Amino acid sequence: MPVNDLNPLPLVALLARVGPARERLREALVQAGATVVLEEDPNRVDLETLGGVDAGAVLIALEPAIEEALERLDPVLASPSLTVIFDEAELAARREGWEAQRWARHLVAKLHGHQDVLPPGAEQDGLLQPEPGLPVTPAELHADAPLEFHVREAFDAAGDVPTDGLYPRPEGYSEPMSLEEALAAMQAPVAAPPASMPPPVPAAAPAAPLGDHSSWSLVDEGSEVQAVVHATPVSAPAAPDEFAIDRLSLVALEPEADPSGAAPGAVLVLAGIGGPDALRRLLAALPAGLAVPILVYMRLDGGRYGNLVKQMARVSALPVVLAESDQPVLAGNAYILPDDVGVAVHNRGLHFTADAKGIQVAALPPAHSAVVMLSGSDVALLDEVLSLAVAGAWVAGQTGEGCYDPIAANAVVAAGMAAGEPPQLAAAIAERWGVSE
């Protein structure tokens, strides 16, 4: 029975401007077997029309020209019962052939809510049925095999096997003594002297003159005379005339933590083409109360970062806010970085700063930070990211079918960094930094 019969696709509303992107998305929905109940330009559709079609999912072609319309439609799109899928219009317009078929499979998986994106025929056929018990071992397989034939064959061939007689024993050769024989020889009792022989009497040593001290010793063994030790009082060292104050120094104390509560580091997430979907999957898999801040930078035409905040806030358990200069970077938040906001360390904590160049990878403290490169990350940042990894930062790259622009992500993976799909990377981040209580 097909999967669609067991779990039918929800009704879909397609919001895209007229053009190649809209045509490609319509073809993908038809190929996926979805029913399109509304196809309209987001700038022309109203709240009542979109909410009245009773759609279970909305497919939106993202581009700067519709961002104001998305703010207007936000009351309907924010419904928890509605599945919202974003796709970049520029990417959808040039998707053809194999890329179009792959996107259709991903679309079906998103609408069904599973991760099965394999083409038809690649799944298991299910003909092999598991059976109880352990597999048969070789010993069990040959347990009843007759051995008499092999024993007779070995006995008949024993005479042809070369022996030690092949090599003549050299003259003077003796078998080596075993360890037991050597120990027994060492433990043999020593013969006692005859009882008739009196014990030897030591000769008397000549008396030494009074001034000769060559034969003196501290301990006279065998003598019954006990030496009398006269204790000589030891004088205490003389106290210094004055206290050397000029040689004292103060020990430098470690600076205290930032009183504003700013985090010592952050996880920088870089994205580009195909990034909205990857970023949405990453943030959706991160737990609330994450003990590290998430900084998201994805360049948008027109700088409409407020809309990206709203889109990601729908799926993220972390609070998603727009970064502002002169504010501390707090753990447990996801910040969307505009083009003119960077970070710097003050009082051992990260703070947002006004920077015309935007976020600088080298400004992150390596020991407390990480960089995740998603689909479409800027290749020009590779050297800075890998340098930060050499200094001690955790770096990872996205892999999998959803990585449409994998050049930068593949480069960090090839350099030996961590790799995985966005949910796997989110699990690695949560395991590395944990959750604040």
Side-chain angles (χ1 to χ4, degrees):
M1 180 179 295
V3 176
N4 289 353
D5 295 341
L6 298 175
N7 187 15
L9 295 175
L11 303 178
V12 182
L14 175 59
L15 299 182
R17 296 200 306 162
V18 177
R22 182 167 165 178
E23 295 176 2
R24 297 292 182 273
L25 292 178
R26 184 193 316 114
E27 293 173 358
L29 289 172
V30 172
Q31 185 177 355
T35 302
V36 180
V37 294
L38 176 66
E39 182 178 336
E40 190 58 79
D41 188 336
N43 296 321
R44 297 181 180 180
V45 70
D46 52 22
L47 289 173
E48 292 75 12
T49 303
L50 181 59
V53 295
D54 195 23
V58 178
L59 177 59
I60 302 175
L62 282 178
E63 53 183 321
I66 69 168
E67 292 186 358
E68 293 183 358
L70 293 181
E71 292 184 4
R72 178 174 51 84
L73 299 175
D74 188 70
V76 176
L77 298 178
S79 173
S81 61
L82 193 64
T83 300
V84 181
I85 303 173
F86 296 98
D87 191 15
E88 294 189 16
E90 180 182 358
L91 185 63
R94 61 172 186 260
R95 191 182 293 130
E96 296 180 352
W98 179 81
E99 287 288 339
Q101 296 177 3
R102 186 180 68 167
W103 168 247
R105 295 196 302 270
H106 277 269
L107 186 60
V108 172
K110 294 175 187 297
L111 293 176
H112 276 300
H114 58 69
Q115 300 294 327
D116 184 11
V117 296
L118 295 176
E123 61 273 10
Q124 296 290 337
D125 54 12
L127 296 178
L128 298 177
Q129 299 296 331
E131 297 181 358
L134 297 175
V136 180
T137 62
E140 295 175 347
L141 184 63
H142 300 283
D144 299 330
L147 299 179
E148 184 179 356
F149 170 77
H150 302 284
V151 173
R152 289 200 307 268
E153 184 179 11
F155 179 79
D156 295 338
D160 299 332
V161 177
T163 62
D164 293 340
L166 181 63
Y167 306 99
R169 177 179 300 183
E171 298 181 1
Y173 174 81
S174 62
E175 292 291 338
M177 183 182 298
S178 65
L179 178 61
E180 292 77 6
E181 295 173 349
L183 293 176
M186 293 174 61
Q187 297 176 0
V190 180
S196 60
M197 294 180 61
V201 178
L210 183 60
D212 184 8
H213 58 273
S214 61
S215 61
W216 292 8
S217 63
L218 294 178
V219 180
D220 188 6
E221 296 181 357
S223 176
E224 298 180 356
V225 180
Q226 297 183 356
V228 180
V229 180
H230 299 279
T232 302
V234 180
S235 59
D241 296 338
E242 60 182 35
F243 192 68
I245 302 178
D246 57 338
R247 289 182 291 177
L248 296 179
S249 62
L250 296 177
V251 178
L253 298 177
E254 294 186 2
E256 298 181 356
D258 193 325
S260 65
V267 177
L268 175 61
V269 180
L270 303 174
I273 297 178
D277 182 64
L279 179 60
R280 184 168 55 86
R281 295 171 61 196
L282 178 72
L283 294 180
L286 289 174
L290 187 67
V292 66
I294 304 295
L295 309 181
V296 177
Y297 180 68
M298 183 176 64
R299 185 178 295 277
L300 297 177
D301 295 335
R304 305 267 182 176
Y305 293 100
N307 292 340
L308 185 61
V309 171
K310 294 182 179 179
Q311 296 171 15
M312 298 303 151
R314 297 191 186 102
V315 299
S316 175
L318 300 173
V320 182
V321 295
L322 187 65
E324 299 180 1
S325 59
D326 301 326
Q327 296 293 326
V329 182
L330 304 179
N333 289 338
Y335 296 94
I336 304 297
L337 298 175
D339 295 330
D340 56 353
V341 174
V343 294
V345 178
H346 298 299
N347 295 330
R348 303 178 66 188
L350 277 182
H351 291 256
F352 292 115
T353 60
D355 192 338
K357 297 181 180 180
I359 183 68
Q360 302 296 314
V361 176
L364 296 172
H368 306 284
S369 301
V371 179
V372 177
M373 305 196 81
L374 299 179
S375 175
S377 298
D378 191 355
V379 181
L381 299 176
L382 271 176
D383 291 339
E384 297 182 33
V385 172
L386 294 178
S387 298
L388 198 71
V390 172
W394 184 78
V395 175
Q398 179 187 354
T399 58
E401 294 285 340
C403 193
Y404 299 103
D405 183 7
I407 298 178
N410 286 350
V412 297
V413 174
M417 305 296 110
E421 295 195 7
Q424 297 172 335
L425 298 179
I429 293 172
E431 181 179 0
R432 184 178 181 88
W433 275 275
V435 178
S436 300
E437 297 181 358

